Amino acid sequence: MQLFELVIAMLLAIIVLHYAAHKMGLPPAVALLTGGVLFAFVPGLPVLSLDPELVLVIFLPPLLMDGAWFIALRHLHRHMLGIIALAVGAVIFTTVIIALVTHMLVPSLPWAACAALGAIVSPPDAVSARAVLQHVRLPRRLSILLEGESLFNDASGLVLFRFAIAAGVTGAFSLVEAVESFLLLAIGGAAIGAAVGAAWVRLTPRLDDKYLMIASSLLAPWASYLLAETVHVSGVIATVTTGLICGWYQHVVFSATVRMNGTAFWAVMIFLMEAFVFLLIGSSLRGVIDRVGGFELVLAQMTGPVLAILLALTLARFAWVFGSDGVIRLLRAMGVRRYTPIGARSAVVLGWAGMRGVVTLAVALSVPEGFPGRDFILVASFAVIIGTVLIQGTTLGGVIRLMRLEEPVSDRARLSMSEAEAAMAQAQLRVVEVHAHDADGVLLHPRLLERYQRHATLSASYAGQEEEHAHILHAHFDLVLKAVAAGRIELLRLHRIGDIDEHVLQELERDLDLEEMSALAAKA
């Protein structure tokens, strides 16, 4: 009962903190993390002790699945070199820098412990990135780079961490073995993920029930992750691969009804999971402080080195981002035109968007008892999470606005939203024109034909002239929304006085909901 009451209290805290963040114009992640820290020291509450493996297996697979499900595959493929440079190159570079800095600041720590800390804090977190980036607007290339990095970098960070721990325990390290292990984990994880994704695509349509189909999409990430971890390959890569496959084929696997219900279900679940993650991170502070001997010990012995590590972590990311962009510029100067630099302004944003989160905390908590420097690793990891989320998370939006980023012409889609709608309307009209008449040429569906003709004409006239028609369009859909609201009031009145039953209410309300959603989407 105590645990259940704690979960309910945390759910209430999520609602209150999200609302407060919205009113104050703060990223929700910042409010939740701060609230979690305060939550940890409420008198009478038990000390929250997280099982790192359980935290990863509960939260990481669905959050990775959700990120991979909606990512643009064409852009992911196009910018894969940049994503690999961040997800692998930046992680290795940052791990080395943090290991060097930590050993300089705390010479008593063995190199394996310094490397373990570097591997723990080097990969930016998928959850933290999503939580902050969904409230800002970025050019497509930057967005894909950040999303792709957050999906794949945990795998490289976890491999480095495992080898650092093994080196600390056994005293031996082999670079060749590390590379071979990484390739085996990545290839094996991709194979498991592809198999699970293919099974989902083939089997889900046969369920023939919307709730079972949605449940299968919920099962897929955990099935992929757990199966991969069971055979000792990368669960992260497996889950991402499954998500990419399922996201690509969901348009043909799901009907419109299943997709609407499934999207709503996933949106609420991911919202709650992300919120619980940040609340749990903040709430675990008390346990971390208790493990290392209290605030006095932390403040007296660890404050300086921890702040220096946080600074080195930030500078290392900037150095890698600007260095990589400089290499691309040099290659272009030498005649290699295949790759395009992102530019200084985009590099600033990319360098500043390095928030850490649940993976960093869970991996830090999994450091074995008795491992050299475990207390320092825990405190430094937690400080990195708090520092990056509170500092970078609250200022990222301002940095983006200050940089005044513009979408490069090469990254823009060939058709705008209105032009794509016009093309779709023409395709619909052609089908209606063919089937609106019977075999003798008699018009059977005059109103339907007129409707699609009008839609095609209006879409063609609107395409490419959005600004000129914006005020008319907004007025049109404002009136549609007023009509929907009036219809809803009348529908509820008829139900309240007993003129219609629940079935009629639900069916007609669904039609009104679809009309309202369509009008709101058209206005956006």
Side-chain angles (χ1 to χ4, degrees):
M1 278 300 296
Q2 189 179 37
L3 177 61
F4 179 73
E5 290 169 355
L6 181 62
V7 171
I8 296 300
M10 294 178 74
L11 182 58
L12 175 61
I14 287 171
I15 295 172
V16 172
L17 291 169
H18 251 273
Y19 180 78
H22 174 71
K23 288 298 182 182
M24 293 186 292
L26 292 173
V30 173
L32 289 164
L33 186 61
T34 306
V37 171
L38 299 175
F39 202 66
F41 294 95
V42 173
L45 288 182
V47 177
L48 191 63
S49 179
L50 299 180
D51 182 328
E53 291 187 8
L54 184 61
V55 168
L56 283 181
V57 80
I58 288 177
F59 292 101
L60 194 57
L63 293 171
L64 288 172
M65 177 81 165
D66 187 66
W69 185 285
F70 293 105
I71 200 167
L73 273 180
R74 183 173 65 86
H75 290 276
L76 183 70
H77 178 266
R78 180 179 178 183
H79 299 297
M80 184 54 74
L81 182 64
I83 291 170
I84 292 175
L86 289 168
V88 179
V91 169
I92 295 174
F93 177 76
T94 306
T95 300
V96 172
I97 295 298
I98 296 303
L100 291 171
V101 171
T102 303
H103 199 265
M104 289 173 56
L105 295 168
V106 191
S108 60
L109 278 184
W111 279 107
C114 299
L117 175 59
I120 290 169
V121 301
S122 57
D125 185 61
V127 183
S128 300
R130 281 172 49 88
V132 174
L133 292 177
Q134 64 185 349
H135 298 284
V136 298
R137 189 175 185 85
L138 285 174
R140 176 62 62 87
R141 183 180 180 184
L142 269 187
S143 179
I144 289 293
L145 287 174
L146 288 169
E147 291 175 19
E149 176 194 16
S150 67
L151 288 176
F152 293 104
N153 61 8
D154 290 331
S156 50
L158 288 170
V159 170
L160 291 173
F161 170 75
R162 289 171 183 171
F163 273 91
I165 295 296
V169 173
T170 65
F173 174 76
S174 170
L175 179 61
V176 174
E177 186 180 348
V179 173
E180 290 177 350
S181 177
F182 178 78
L183 292 176
L184 177 63
L185 289 170
I187 294 171
I192 294 293
V196 174
W200 183 87
V201 171
R202 292 183 63 85
L203 298 177
T204 299
R206 301 182 182 182
L207 296 175
D208 199 27
D209 179 275
K210 64 180 180 181
Y211 298 116
L212 293 179
M213 295 174 79
I214 294 170
S216 74
S217 70
L218 180 62
L219 176 65
W222 278 300
S224 184
Y225 186 90
L226 292 172
L227 182 59
E229 291 294 320
T230 300
V231 298
H232 305 295
V233 296
S234 175
V236 172
I237 298 295
T239 306
V240 171
T241 304
T242 298
L244 293 173
I245 293 172
C246 294
W248 180 262
Y249 285 100
Q250 57 98 3
H251 305 286
V252 293
V253 171
F254 285 166
S255 66
T257 302
V258 174
R259 186 159 39 254
M260 285 185 63
N261 283 272
T263 301
F265 167 78
W266 270 90
V268 174
M269 187 186 74
I270 295 300
F271 161 76
L272 290 175
M273 280 197 154
E274 289 179 347
F276 267 109
V277 161
F278 286 106
L279 205 57
L280 286 172
I281 290 173
S283 301
S284 63
L285 174 61
R286 184 176 167 187
V288 171
I289 295 299
D290 289 346
R291 281 190 188 94
V292 301
F295 271 115
E296 294 78 9
L297 180 64
V298 171
L299 293 174
Q301 299 182 9
M302 302 183 187
T303 302
V306 164
L307 291 176
I309 287 170
L310 180 58
L311 178 61
L313 187 72
T314 305
L315 294 177
R317 182 171 177 85
F318 273 99
W320 179 266
V321 171
F322 275 91
S324 301
D325 210 43
V327 170
I328 294 176
R329 291 181 182 278
L330 181 61
L331 290 174
R332 289 181 68 84
M334 296 170 62
V336 180
R337 302 284 178 177
R338 182 177 178 182
Y339 306 109
T340 305
I342 60 176
R345 293 182 177 181
S346 294
V348 169
V349 173
L350 191 59
W352 194 241
M355 290 70 67
R356 273 67 176 179
V358 64
V359 175
T360 295
L361 180 62
V363 176
L365 290 172
S366 71
V367 175
E369 294 285 349
F371 188 81
R374 185 177 188 271
D375 291 348
F376 181 77
I377 289 172
L378 281 172
V379 172
S381 301
F382 203 95
V384 164
I385 296 170
I386 292 180
T388 54
V389 172
L390 294 186
I391 298 173
Q392 296 178 348
T394 54
T395 57
L396 181 60
V399 171
I400 292 172
R401 289 189 292 271
L402 183 63
M403 292 298 105
R404 297 180 180 178
L405 303 178
E406 294 182 359
E407 189 85 59
V409 176
S410 59
D411 286 346
R412 295 174 187 169
R414 189 174 63 84
L415 296 180
S416 66
M417 176 78 76
S418 59
E419 290 169 336
E421 186 179 8
M424 185 176 66
Q426 288 294 332
Q428 291 175 320
L429 176 59
R430 287 192 293 270
V431 171
V432 173
E433 285 176 336
V434 170
H435 297 283
H437 301 79
D438 63 11
D440 299 324
V442 178
L443 183 60
L444 300 176
H445 310 288
R447 292 186 178 179
L448 194 61
L449 179 60
E450 181 184 356
R451 170 189 162 191
Y452 277 93
Q453 285 174 335
R454 179 174 176 79
H455 184 208
T457 301
L458 290 175
S459 297
S461 64
Y462 178 70
Q465 303 181 53
E466 292 88 344
E467 293 184 3
E468 298 178 16
H469 294 82
H471 66 286
I472 300 175
L473 189 72
H474 279 217
H476 170 83
F477 286 107
D478 282 340
L479 183 55
V480 171
L481 292 172
K482 290 178 181 177
V484 169
R488 196 183 304 278
I489 292 171
E490 177 63 13
L491 182 64
L492 291 174
R493 188 188 70 82
L494 293 174
H495 177 259
R496 297 295 185 264
I497 63 176
D499 284 354
I500 59 174
D501 60 17
E502 291 289 338
H503 176 72
V504 174
L505 170 67
Q506 292 171 4
E507 289 294 317
L508 294 182
E509 189 175 39
R510 184 190 61 184
D511 293 342
L512 289 173
D513 289 343
L514 290 172
E515 190 175 2
E516 182 177 338
M517 290 168 58
S518 177
L520 289 171
K523 278 191 65 179

